[in-house]
Amino acid sequence: MAEQHTPRSLIVTLYGAYGRTPDDTPLAVAELIRLLGALGVDAPSVRSSVSRLKRRGLLVPERTARGAAGYALSAEARQLLDDGDRRIYARPAPELSEGWVLAVFTVPESERHKRHLLRSRLGRLGFGTAAPGVWIAPGRLYEETRHTLRRLRLDSYVDLFSGQHLGFEATADAVARWWDLDAIATQHEEFLDAHEPVLRTWEGRGAGSGSGSGSGSAEDAYRDYLLALDSWRHLPYADPGLPAELLPGNWPGERSAEVFNRLHTRLRDLGLAFVERPVTEE
C-alpha cells in the first residue's frame, strides 16, 4: 500500500470524515480548496479531481446556503461511505463460526468486459479466489456484496452461497491459497511505518487540544488524521478480517487497527475545529 494520497482519494476521504451531515449540506468549492490545500493539494488539482468525481456520479453540484458554488454527496456516494463505515470504524472481531459467502459468476463471451469488472469488484470487496470463477469471503460481507453487485447491475451474473469449509485440507492452509497473506501483511506494516510514529508524537503531547506547540494545533490534527484515514480506509478491503486462528503468528493487522483507532479517537474531533473554521466563499 504505497502512501500516494492522490487528490481524488483525499477528497473522498474528506467527505467520508467530515462531509456527511443530516441535511446533506454541500461543501463550498472555496472550502474544498482550503481543506485540501492544508494537505498539499493545489487548487487546479482540487477542481479537476472534483470534476472527475462529478462525472462518476459521486458528487453533485449544489449551491451553499450563502449561494456559493459547492458539491454534495450523491445518494450512491453516501451509500458507499456508509457501507465503508462498517469496515473502517466498526470492524467486529472475526469468528470462524460466521462461515463463508461464495460468489460464483458466469458472463457471456459477448460481455466479457464485465468478467474483468466482476473480478476487480470482488477483489476490492476483499474476496479471495477459491477456484477459477469461485470467490470466497467471510460470511459477514454478504450484505455489502449484495448491495454492491446490485448497484453496479452485476447481480444477474452472480450466484451467492453461504456455507462452511469442510476440507479436505486444513482451513488455515486453504486460506493461505485463497488470499495473498504476505501482501496483506506488507500493507499493514507499511501503514504502521507511516502512522505509528505520528500516534506516538500525539500521545507524547498529552491530552491538550489548544494551538500551542505542546498539544498540536487543530490544523495539525486535521492533517494527520486525514492522511491516516486515507491510508487506512483501503486496508479493511484488502484484508477482509479473517479469524485469528487462520492467520500466521505475529499478524500485524490487529496492531495496525489499534493504531488507526487511537488516531481516530484522538484526532478526529480535534481536527473538526479546523474544518469548521469560517472561510470566505467564492
Side-chain angles (χ1 to χ4, degrees):
M1 179 187 60
E3 292 282 311
Q4 293 181 349
H5 302 302
T6 65
R8 196 175 349 175
S9 179
L10 287 168
I11 290 170
V12 173
T13 300
L14 171 61
Y15 273 92
Y18 297 112
R20 282 176 284 176
T21 59
D23 56 354
D24 290 323
T25 303
L27 282 172
V29 173
E31 185 73 354
L32 286 169
I33 289 171
R34 177 181 76 90
L35 293 172
L36 272 294
L39 300 168
V41 181
D42 60 29
S45 296
V46 173
R47 293 182 186 279
S48 64
S49 297
V50 165
S51 294
R52 293 189 190 100
L53 291 167
K54 175 186 171 185
R55 287 196 297 271
R56 288 182 56 193
L58 299 178
L59 293 181
V60 180
E62 288 187 14
R63 292 281 169 179
T64 69
R66 295 173 59 185
Y71 287 88
L73 290 166
S74 68
E76 176 185 343
R78 179 173 281 274
Q79 180 65 61
L80 284 170
L81 292 173
D82 289 347
D83 283 344
D85 285 352
R86 288 186 282 275
R87 295 218 196 187
I88 295 167
Y89 302 110
R91 199 166 165 89
E95 297 182 4
L96 192 56
S97 61
E98 73 184 0
W100 306 93
V101 57
L102 276 78
V104 180
F105 62 82
T106 303
V107 178
E109 187 62 25
S110 60
E111 298 179 275
R112 60 181 178 273
H113 64 284
K114 292 186 177 178
R115 196 176 303 147
H116 171 73
L117 181 58
L118 268 165
R119 292 188 187 115
S120 173
R121 182 57 58 173
L122 290 170
R124 288 169 61 184
L125 284 167
F127 276 71
T129 308
V134 181
W135 294 69
I136 189 166
R140 70 178 179 282
L141 300 186
Y142 162 70
E143 287 292 341
E144 183 182 355
T145 300
R146 185 170 62 86
H147 293 159
T148 300
L149 294 177
R150 280 187 172 172
R151 177 175 55 81
L152 296 174
R153 298 179 182 174
L154 295 171
D155 51 303
S156 62
Y157 303 98
V158 183
D159 286 304
L160 297 176
F161 303 88
S162 66
Q164 304 292 325
H165 179 242
L166 301 178
F168 295 93
E169 67 181 323
T171 303
D173 293 337
V175 161
R177 286 192 296 104
W178 300 338
W179 282 274
D180 186 344
L181 297 180
D182 289 340
I184 296 171
T186 296
Q187 292 186 50
H188 283 296
E189 295 289 359
E190 289 175 350
F191 177 84
L192 288 164
D193 288 344
H195 300 288
E196 195 169 32
V198 176
L199 176 63
R200 286 197 296 266
T201 297
W202 278 97
E203 291 185 336
R205 287 169 171 161
S209 59
S211 59
S213 60
S215 61
S217 69
E219 183 175 352
D220 291 336
Y222 161 80
R223 183 185 304 110
D224 287 345
Y225 178 60
L226 254 290
L227 293 175
L229 177 57
D230 193 56
S231 297
W232 171 258
R233 70 182 180 86
H234 303 284
L235 248 174
Y237 291 90
D239 179 352
L242 298 165
E245 58 264 44
L246 302 180
L247 294 169
N250 299 316
W251 182 252
E254 184 175 345
R255 188 165 129 240
S256 67
E258 180 185 0
V259 166
F260 171 73
N261 288 332
R262 285 159 64 184
L263 283 167
H264 172 72
T265 299
R266 178 171 288 268
L267 301 184
R268 194 270 175 192
D269 290 346
L270 180 56
L272 184 60
F274 177 73
V275 174
E276 293 180 340
R277 185 175 299 171
V279 63
T280 301
E281 296 180 333
E282 292 183 341

